[in-house]
Amino acid sequence: QVRLVESGGGSVQAGGSLRLSCAASGSILSINSMGWYRQAPGKERELVATVASGAYTNYADFVKGRFTISRDNAKNTVYLQMNSLKPEDTAVYYCNAVITTFYVVGDYWGQGTRVTVSS
């Protein structure tokens, strides 16, 4: 079993910062990519940023220059530093990881953490 646990969401005013964390645990052989997605009310879930095992990063255009994704392989943890937050960043943020266990390569999701940005 693999579990992803997110933390760090909350409420902040526009221009503020938050840092999200997501720790993976369980029968993990290796973690391929890790990333963050978000879903605003009434909208589809969308990619925010990903980081591959080789530390290659990919960002959605709407967060470039404001958000930074990083990972700590020793802790099986991915972070999302969010600066210059805007009201349109309000959403539930989900951690995602592609993980190899002893049996399969699976796509795993966290339970989500809410981020609210007020103007």
Side-chain angles (χ1 to χ4, degrees), residues 40-90:
K43 295 189 176 181
E44 298 283 323
R45 189 174 297 189
E46 60 185 357
L47 180 145
V48 176
T50 61
V51 55
S53 57
Y56 173 80
T57 57
N58 179 51
Y59 294 92
D61 286 343
F62 53 77
V63 302
K64 285 181 179 177
R66 301 189 298 124
F67 292 9
T68 302
I69 190 170
S70 61
R71 62 189 281 178
D72 184 332
N73 292 327
K75 296 181 179 180
N76 289 338
T77 299
V78 63
Y79 306 95
L80 185 68
Q81 178 65 44
M82 304 186 294
N83 299 327
S84 302
L85 282 161
K86 304 175 180 180
E88 51 264 44
D89 293 319
T90 295

Side-chain angles (χ1 to χ4, degrees), residues 15-31:
S17 299
L18 286 173
R19 188 189 193 214
L20 306 183
S21 299
C22 172
S25 62
S27 303
I28 297 170
L29 191 61
S30 65
I31 300 179

